[in-house]
Amino acid sequence: MKPENLEKIQHSSKIIIEWLSHAFDVVADWVTAMPWWRFLLYSVIAMIAAAILQETVFSSKIEETTISQPAKKRKPPTPPKVDLNVHIDENGVHIKKVTPTPSTPTVTATAPPASAAVPPPPVAPLVAKPPKSATGEEESTNAATDAAQAAKEAAEAAREATEALHAAVKQYNEISEKANEEALDAANAAVEEKVTHYRNESSEWFKKFVILSVFALFGTKALMGGKKRAETQAAAAREVAEREALQRQVSEAKMQMMQAQVEPHFLFNTLASVEYLIETDPPRASLMQRSLIKYLRAVLPQIREMTPSTNLGREADIVSSYLDLLKMRMEERLTIQLNIPASLRNAAFPPMMLQPLVENAIKHGLECKEQGGTLSIDAEVIKDTLRIRVADDGVGFGVMPSDGTGLGLTSIRERLTMLHGNLGQLIIEPNQPGGVIAIIEVPYQVAS
């Protein structure tokens, strides 16, 4: 085979395989997308339609099949009629055959069977010799009488032979006609049997084809359905994972923003206080400097790690360092109550979420109050929920105007929703007799 022909065959085979694969994929998608009840209904309708089509097209009741016969059946040949003419005159007795007239067609009879054929006896004219003398007239008369009697007997024998020939030809015609009819019936029966066999085979093939098609669709749906469902579930899982990853990235970006929002004026004020104390009270300035360093050591790694979750103990340490600095600034005006059990220090908690609440309590509740107040931080677990409570007895809501952006509490709520959905929430309520209570609730989990 030439290389170019082989290449054409390979190309054509590749195209055919691609089309078959595409057709299979289309059928598989159509079948697997169909609910089971609809597939069963389709199968029943297909079987009923196939049965009706089979009954209509491949019915076993076939019409009577006829075999074309000759245009005109020839009549069997009629044997010639043999007539004998017996004539007696003075010359003797004469027996002759009568020749048929030219207008009558001559038909050659078919030879009858050997058992029925009786050959006609040869008929020869009997001519008496003339008498030699007058004295033998009486003898001639007797001889003529005998000859006439013999001729009569010969004519009778010829007539009987002719009748036997007619009977044999008639019997032959009857046998031939019966044989033709039997052969025609046998041919019709053979043709009818052949057609019936062909239709039965076609009907069985059609029925098996429909059944195999339904079973093939059933197998495709049963086998490919799981694959398609798995692919669909995998695609849905990928979409969910991508969406969660995007949400996690957004959440991490917001948390990074929150973690990076260390109050600039707090640092500036703290450094200014350190500078003032260096001039007036160097030992106290040194203590404040050490507290600032402790605070920055706790906060800066948290900002660098940018982790979506940390533990409550680490957050409590950051808040404790922050409160130590504020305690040096506010001195006796600030009272701190930090009640976090040691068993809850390993509880998972979002980073940089506790300090904004403490900052709000100090800045908007206690720092603006002349006599100061008390800040309490409590932690407990209630029905698998970690509950952190930050309360102050400051001036309360709306007494002092805020110079902030107001995004701190909103960011905390958004972060809680992204991290824990409906299980995480921020609750703000008034404290009695004054101040504000801020509560954070998250699912209780042990930090990894």
Side-chain angles (χ1 to χ4, degrees):
M1 182 180 294
K2 295 182 179 180
E4 56 271 15
N5 295 335
L6 182 60
E7 185 177 355
K8 290 181 180 179
I9 293 176
Q10 292 177 351
H11 181 68
S12 302
S13 302
K14 184 178 180 181
I15 294 176
I16 293 174
I17 292 174
E18 289 178 354
W19 276 100
L20 291 177
S21 177
H22 177 70
F24 177 77
D25 291 339
V26 171
V27 174
D29 292 339
W30 170 69
V31 173
T32 53
M34 187 185 304
W36 275 106
W37 67 268
R38 189 175 297 176
F39 175 76
L40 295 177
L41 180 61
Y42 168 78
S43 301
V44 172
I45 294 176
M47 296 295 288
I48 294 175
I52 295 175
L53 186 62
Q54 180 184 10
E55 183 68 21
T56 303
V57 179
F58 304 104
S59 177
S60 58
K61 297 179 180 179
I62 61 174
E63 298 178 357
E64 183 179 359
T65 306
T66 57
I67 303 299
S68 60
Q69 300 181 2
K72 186 176 180 181
K73 185 177 179 181
R74 295 193 309 167
K75 294 180 65 177
T78 305
K81 186 177 180 181
V82 181
D83 292 333
L84 298 177
N85 186 7
V86 179
H87 178 67
I88 302 174
D89 55 8
E90 65 275 7
N91 294 325
V93 179
H94 302 277
I95 300 176
K96 297 190 299 182
K97 294 181 181 180
V98 179
T99 305
T101 58
S103 60
T104 304
T106 303
V107 181
T108 304
T110 306
S115 59
V118 178
V123 180
L126 300 177
V127 182
K129 294 182 180 181
K132 297 182 179 180
S133 62
T135 56
E137 182 178 354
E138 184 177 354
E139 294 178 359
S140 299
T141 301
N142 293 334
T145 302
D146 293 338
Q149 185 66 27
K152 186 176 180 181
E153 291 177 357
E156 185 67 21
R159 186 181 63 79
E160 291 177 357
T162 303
E163 291 179 355
L165 178 61
H166 288 171
V169 171
K170 182 178 180 182
Q171 183 179 5
Y172 170 78
N173 291 335
E174 292 177 354
I175 294 173
S176 177
E177 184 177 358
K178 186 176 181 180
N180 291 335
E181 292 178 355
E182 291 178 354
L184 184 62
D185 293 339
N188 287 334
V191 171
E192 183 176 354
E193 181 180 0
K194 197 76 173 179
V195 173
T196 303
H197 179 70
Y198 169 75
R199 291 200 174 188
N200 289 337
E201 285 187 350
S202 301
S203 176
E204 288 296 325
W205 179 87
F206 179 75
K207 181 169 66 177
K208 292 178 181 179
F209 173 77
V210 173
I211 294 175
L212 287 177
S213 299
V214 173
F215 272 100
L217 292 177
F218 178 82
T220 301
K221 182 172 180 59
L223 297 178
M224 298 296 294
K227 180 181 178 181
K228 293 295 182 181
R229 284 192 299 272
E231 292 177 353
T232 303
Q233 293 175 358
R238 283 195 300 270
E239 292 179 359
V240 172
E242 292 175 357
R243 184 167 58 252
E244 290 180 351
L246 181 61
Q247 291 178 354
R248 186 166 54 252
Q249 292 175 0
V250 173
S251 176
E252 291 176 356
K254 289 187 176 181
M255 285 188 293
Q256 292 172 6
M257 180 184 66
M258 290 293 295
Q259 293 170 11
Q261 287 179 348
V262 178
E263 290 286 347
H265 70 273
F266 162 73
L267 293 176
F268 295 151
N269 292 338
T270 302
L271 292 175
S273 299
V274 170
E275 183 181 6
Y276 172 76
L277 291 175
I278 288 174
E279 296 178 355
T280 59
D281 191 355
R284 189 179 175 192
S286 178
L287 182 61
M288 181 176 286
Q289 185 180 7
R290 286 196 297 269
S291 298
L292 179 60
I293 293 172
K294 180 181 177 182
Y295 171 73
L296 292 177
R297 282 177 177 175
V299 171
L300 292 179
Q302 188 84 337
I303 296 175
R304 287 195 301 265
E305 290 178 4
M306 302 297 180
T307 57
S309 179
T310 182
N311 57 65
L312 183 59
R314 191 172 182 179
E315 289 296 303
D317 293 339
I318 294 175
V319 170
S320 179
S321 301
Y322 174 73
L323 290 175
D324 289 341
L325 287 172
L326 292 179
K327 180 69 175 174
M328 290 183 182
R329 285 173 49 187
M330 297 180 65
E331 297 180 346
E332 300 301 329
R333 295 174 56 236
L334 177 61
T335 302
I336 301 172
Q337 296 178 356
L338 188 59
N339 302 317
I340 297 179
S343 60
L344 295 181
R345 290 184 62 86
N346 288 330
F349 193 77
M352 300 301 294
M353 192 170 288
L354 182 58
Q355 181 179 337
L357 299 180
V358 174
E359 290 179 5
N360 285 336
I362 297 294
K363 183 177 180 180
H364 302 293
L366 298 177
E367 194 172 19
C368 57
K369 188 177 180 180
E370 183 178 356
Q371 68 273 24
T374 302
L375 176 69
S376 62
I377 302 174
D378 303 312
E380 60 180 344
V381 176
I382 301 175
K383 295 181 179 180
D384 296 332
T385 300
L386 178 62
R387 183 183 177 97
I388 307 298
R389 180 177 177 271
V390 179
D392 67 85
D393 56 358
V395 296
F397 287 110
V399 175
M400 297 297 293
S402 175
D403 57 353
T405 60
L407 297 177
L409 299 180
T410 303
S411 299
I412 291 176
R413 286 192 175 93
E414 291 179 357
R415 290 172 62 194
L416 288 173
T417 302
M418 290 179 182
L419 292 173
H420 303 290
N422 296 329
L423 299 179
Q425 57 181 342
L426 172 65
I427 303 172
I428 305 295
E429 57 187 24
N431 194 8
Q432 298 298 332
V436 177
I437 298 175
I439 300 173
I440 293 179
E441 292 183 352
V442 295
Y444 173 67
Q445 297 176 349
V446 178
S448 58

